[in-house]
Amino acid sequence: MSIINFYKNHHLTDSKTFCMAPWVHLYSSPSGESAPCCIADSCGNGGLGNTKTQTLMEVVNSEKMNELRKDMLTGIMNTECRKCHDHEKQKVLSSRNMLNDEFKEFYDECMENTNDDGSLKEFKMRYFDIRFSNICNFKCRTCGGGFSSQWEQEDLKSKVTYARVFPKNDNPDFLQDIVEQVPNLKTAYFAGGEPLITEEHYILLEEMIRTKKSDHIQLRYNTNMSNLKFKNKDLLALWKHFKNKISIYASIDHYGERAEYIRHGTDWGVVEENLLLAKKTPYINLQMNTVLSVFNFLTIGDFYQYLVDKQLYTKDDFIYTLYNMSTPEHYTCHILPEEYKVTGKASLEHAIQLLQTNKFKLSHVNQLKDALVWASLYETWDKHKYAFRSEINRVDKLRGENFRKTFPELADLLDPDNKKLLPI
């Protein structure tokens, strides 16, 4: 084996630190805050640059981005990648693992393009994930004003201490930088806010179609599936121009009234209709992107039962992502007292048995098994119970919602006088 192939194999397979992301990708939040990916430690903490005030190349070759690339190459665990490192310590498949596999074809090109100081001679964006706006028609409980204009306005009206207007990523020069990257793209991932009601999404989509790059670009979406039309745009008609199937990761954490509570703004009848339409559309691959949290941990088995019964999840589908949420900490499944975790684990076991009985692949089942490991990782009830109760009560009052009624299995968590905290 040549020394070049040795390093390539080591970085892509054996390394605990190397990730393709800072070579082929740049994440930018709706406010312009930039990072190597959307779960990097600097996200929400200032970022490693800002696309409102810097050019694309200035952000890509910022001092901290260059340092990150050098650390990845030399085996140093940079704190930017803490979440992936935490997942991997628990034998949970990480974003780093997945990105290395998906973009390994560009490894040689990237290494040739890397200077000794970690900077890049040229940047070719292969993976797009730029959030131009926090515009959103939902107020999901596990989200906030930075990614939802509805949350932003609610915070301002309720005058919470952290309320603020989030600047939008509306730098026209930066948008042009991204338009010029269209020929380089392998994957374009649109998230938000809600991408299907974002103007820039349609500018880029139509540029891909105009330049016939739609022949090879893979479109991916993280969407709440509430809208398949925007102004005079018909998404199903636009998506027909793309040769690769459109991948939709529907942000669905439950069904019915639980779905409407967790992701406020949901009309379950409309969302379910759109899910069923997408499922039967031949050029769409529909997947779920479910956030595992305190809200759905105890009833996750019921949710999977619903998906299977509605034939929204079958053994021939791609894996539906069950994301083990780590923030906000007061809403993670880690806060649940042990008595509740026992119930939640039983619910996960039901889902595992359901998939096995229906002959789902091992890779499908492993998503759920990973969640069992994740749930047992921390015990944080005493640390976060006050924040949990305070936020539930505050938002319930603002929105006229009722946590106790919607989640009777969790109702006793709101009772500060309940010593045993046994589930109903």
Side-chain angles (χ1 to χ4, degrees):
M1 181 185 292
S2 70
I3 188 67
I4 294 175
N5 285 336
F6 169 80
Y7 278 111
K8 182 176 183 178
N9 183 67
H10 170 70
H11 285 148
L12 294 173
T13 306
D14 302 323
S15 172
K16 303 298 183 186
T17 61
F18 180 81
C19 178
M20 288 294 297
W23 278 270
V24 300
H25 173 52
L26 179 75
Y27 165 77
S28 185
S29 77
S31 64
E33 185 179 273
S34 303
C37 74
C38 66
I39 61 169
D41 215 45
S42 62
C43 289
N45 296 306
L48 301 186
N50 196 294
T51 56
K52 282 186 66 67
T53 58
Q54 296 174 286
T55 67
L56 178 61
M57 282 306 294
E58 285 173 341
V59 176
V60 167
N61 280 336
S62 68
E63 182 179 347
K64 289 183 178 180
M65 285 286 283
N66 295 344
E67 180 183 354
L68 175 63
R69 281 188 282 264
K70 287 175 64 178
D71 285 349
M72 286 180 168
L73 290 170
T74 55
I76 297 173
M77 285 194 169
N78 194 296
T79 55
E80 269 298 278
C81 308
R82 177 179 58 84
K83 290 179 182 176
C84 278
H85 296 158
D86 284 349
H87 281 152
E88 289 167 22
K89 285 177 185 176
Q90 303 304 316
K91 309 298 182 185
V92 174
L93 187 69
S94 69
S95 292
R96 185 185 77 89
N97 300 144
M98 292 184 283
L99 288 168
N100 282 347
D101 183 62
E102 182 174 358
F103 296 98
K104 60 188 176 186
E105 66 190 275
F106 302 110
Y107 176 87
D108 293 345
E109 170 189 276
C110 291
M111 293 305 103
E112 291 171 4
N113 198 33
T114 305
N115 297 312
D116 290 341
D117 65 353
S119 64
L120 301 182
K121 300 166 190 170
E122 182 184 12
F123 178 61
K124 291 184 178 181
M125 182 180 286
R126 305 299 186 181
Y127 173 30
F128 165 92
D129 181 7
I130 305 295
R131 323 286 175 95
F132 289 99
S133 172
N134 69 343
I135 187 169
C136 189
N137 53 342
F138 281 13
K139 294 182 285 190
C140 304
R141 287 280 177 148
T142 55
C143 191
F147 293 93
S148 167
S149 53
Q150 293 289 316
W151 256 112
E152 178 186 66
Q153 292 306 306
E154 182 176 84
D155 286 345
L156 290 169
K157 289 178 181 178
S158 62
K159 299 180 180 180
V160 292
T161 55
Y162 50 81
R164 67 187 181 97
V165 175
F166 288 84
K168 308 303 183 284
N169 192 3
D170 55 2
N171 179 350
D173 293 334
F174 179 69
L175 176 59
Q176 184 57 37
D177 282 346
I178 299 303
V179 169
E180 291 172 3
Q181 287 286 336
V182 165
N184 298 324
L185 294 178
K186 175 184 178 181
T187 302
Y189 173 57
F190 291 98
E194 171 49 39
L196 303 189
I197 58 173
T198 302
E199 296 280 359
E200 290 84 355
H201 161 247
Y202 294 92
I203 292 173
L204 289 168
L205 211 60
E206 291 179 335
E207 176 68 9
M208 294 172 192
I209 295 169
R210 184 189 70 80
T211 58
K212 299 192 184 303
K213 299 303 177 183
S214 54
D215 289 352
H216 68 270
I217 293 175
Q218 172 69 63
L219 294 182
R220 295 177 182 168
Y221 290 88
N222 190 298
T223 168
N224 59 39
M225 288 298 287
S226 61
N227 293 277
L228 293 177
K229 295 182 185 293
F230 177 71
K231 296 184 177 178
N232 64 336
K233 313 292 184 184
D234 184 330
L235 262 175
L236 294 182
L238 289 171
W239 284 341
K240 282 185 178 180
H241 290 275
F242 289 80
K243 285 192 175 179
N244 294 316
K245 282 192 173 186
I246 311 303
S247 293
I248 293 179
Y249 305 95
S251 297
I252 310 293
D253 299 333
H254 225 302
Y255 65 95
E257 64 178 358
R258 286 190 170 95
E260 293 177 344
Y261 182 101
I262 298 170
R263 296 186 179 272
H264 181 94
T266 299
D267 180 328
W268 184 248
V270 171
V271 170
E272 183 181 63
E273 182 180 346
N274 287 341
L275 290 172
L276 293 169
L277 174 60
K279 185 66 177 176
K280 69 180 183 182
T281 302
Y283 51 88
I284 293 176
N285 280 327
L286 176 67
Q287 302 177 56
M288 299 296 168
N289 187 22
T290 297
V291 175
L292 186 67
S293 71
V294 66
F295 297 107
N296 60 8
F297 183 56
L298 268 63
T299 55
I300 196 69
D302 295 340
F303 177 55
Y304 273 79
Q305 186 73 57
Y306 162 85
L307 294 176
V308 171
D309 290 346
K310 288 281 185 177
Q311 296 187 337
L312 284 168
Y313 195 17
T314 74
K315 62 184 179 63
D316 298 318
D317 289 336
F318 286 101
I319 300 169
Y320 283 16
T321 302
L322 185 64
Y323 180 70
N324 298 304
M325 186 189 77
S326 57
T327 57
E329 293 182 274
H330 58 272
Y331 283 158
T332 70
C333 59
H334 296 142
I335 73 160
L336 289 165
E338 184 56 33
E339 295 88 346
Y340 287 80
K341 284 187 179 179
V342 169
T343 303
K345 289 174 184 177
S347 189
L348 270 173
E349 292 284 4
H350 168 76
I352 290 169
Q353 184 61 50
L354 175 69
L355 298 193
Q356 289 174 334
T357 300
N358 285 276
K359 303 187 185 306
F360 279 71
K361 300 180 185 70
L362 180 62
S363 54
H364 294 106
V365 176
N366 283 344
Q367 282 267 307
L368 299 171
K369 290 184 176 179
D370 286 348
L372 280 172
V373 176
W374 178 254
S376 299
L377 187 57
Y378 303 112
E379 304 285 344
T380 64
W381 173 247
D382 286 338
K383 182 178 180 181
H384 295 299
K385 61 185 178 183
Y386 299 111
F388 168 78
R389 288 167 175 160
S390 174
E391 190 66 1
I392 291 291
N393 289 326
R394 183 185 76 83
V395 179
D396 271 7
K397 184 176 180 180
L398 281 173
R399 299 179 185 175
E401 295 176 335
N402 190 322
F403 176 85
R404 293 177 186 271
K405 181 180 177 182
T406 308
F407 305 97
E409 68 280 2
L410 297 170
D412 283 358
L413 292 177
L414 293 184
D415 185 358
D417 298 321
N418 190 308
K419 303 301 181 182
K420 293 185 179 180
L421 284 176
L422 292 174
I424 295 173

